[in-house]
Amino acid sequence: MPPFEPLAGLLADRLRAEGYSVTCDLPGTLSAGFGPGELSPLAAMVRDALPQLELANARGLLLGPGEPPGPAALLRLEPLDRLLQRIDADWLVEVLRAGRLASAFQPIFDAHGRLVAHECLLRGIGPDGAPSIPPGALYGAATTGQLLFALDRMARLTHIRNGAPAARAGDLFINFTPAAIYNPAFCLRSTVEAVKSAGIRPERIVFEVVETERINDMNHLAAILSVYRAAGFRVALDDFGSGFSSLALLERVRPDVVKIDMGLIRNVDTDPYRASITARIIELARSLGMVTLAEGIETPGELAWCRKAGADYFQGYYLGRPAAEPLPAGVAARAA
């Protein structure tokens, strides 16, 4: 008897008790019918009813209306836990299908308070039309639902389209996910074409590598950055100082801009440890010809300290929160 068969019987009883139509077409299997809006609750019930080990060992698939569970369908079987993850991300499929993504723009200023750039931050547009879905929810669902490539590509194109007016007066900082780019030359072709179509000078675009993201293949990252730089784009290393491989990543990426992690900037004006580390990062970057950007500035004291320490660019809630529209050229930052 297959190990899943006893659990299949228990699961069938549970589903029937909840009103689902259940059949057992083959030994150790079951089929459950569902109507509109019932797939997500059904998936939650299956996850709740089965032990995690069985979710990994059992296999499942979704059949279309009237589709029999024959040999052709069985070729699409996949681990049940993976199938449930894809179902959990079904809302994201609809977001991507409808193009419900938006950009929020956070301003970046230089040491003289002049507006020099905006960082593009991703938001998902909910059913009510409001950009209320945070990037963490979007990328979390994309990771579990195997939609990372689709989301990351659409996010880049969305930022380029929405940020085109701002890019004529300053730089655009755009995040990207190396794990979502399986073939740099092919995957980034649409990004390069979008920048050209938007009339943006390539040097205005700064693509950010997130230092805290787990990067297992440095050669793959190098290939991505090579394509970006060949197209004339610049590169920033985001969240620098927050991980365990900062210096190694600095050497491999050799960024144009180093964004100092907000964890180091927080209370840097009153914490001697953070002050010492941050000052050394600024000195190191300057010696390598890299621009430094202090991110996450929330107080006048933090801004004043970073200016005095020699940081080049500044970003944070004290200077400007993300907004649906970029600031117009010529706007000055508030004084420290």
Side-chain angles (χ1 to χ4, degrees), residues 174-234:
I174 300 175
N175 287 281
F176 77 97
T177 305
I181 301 172
Y182 56 87
N183 182 310
F186 174 76
C187 295
L188 301 178
R189 186 181 306 161
S190 61
T191 302
V192 175
E193 292 174 352
V195 171
K196 291 180 180 178
S197 298
I200 301 174
R201 301 206 313 269
E203 65 270 19
R204 288 291 196 188
I205 303 293
V206 183
F207 285 105
E208 298 189 22
V209 180
V210 181
E211 200 273 332
T212 51
E213 181 179 310
R214 190 175 186 84
I215 300 174
N216 296 317
D217 189 344
M218 292 300 300
N219 291 329
H220 178 61
L221 176 60
I224 295 171
L225 299 182
S226 176
V227 171
Y228 273 143
R229 284 179 162 135
F233 306 134
R234 291 181 289 150

Side-chain angles (χ1 to χ4, degrees), residues 254-291:
R254 302 191 179 188
D256 302 283
V257 181
V258 175
K259 298 187 71 176
I260 305 171
D261 182 65
M262 65 177 64
L264 289 173
I265 300 302
R266 187 66 57 251
N267 300 321
V268 69
D269 54 320
T270 59
D271 187 318
Y273 286 90
R274 289 175 177 162
S276 180
I277 295 170
T278 304
R280 298 300 183 275
I281 291 174
I282 293 173
E283 292 172 6
L284 174 62
R286 184 186 298 115
S287 71
L288 295 173
M290 300 171 183
V291 171

Side-chain angles (χ1 to χ4, degrees), residues 36-90:
E38 294 180 345
L39 181 56
S40 292
L42 174 61
M45 191 177 304
V46 171
R47 182 180 285 105
D48 181 62
L50 295 180
Q52 183 59 44
L53 181 62
E54 294 303 331
L55 289 175
N57 291 335
R59 303 179 75 78
L61 76 158
L62 292 177
L63 298 173
E67 182 183 4
L74 295 178
L75 291 175
R76 305 201 312 268
L77 283 167
E78 61 182 312
L80 187 55
D81 57 352
R82 185 184 304 167
L83 175 62
L84 296 178
Q85 288 173 348
R86 289 202 299 109
I87 293 172
D88 287 343
D90 190 58

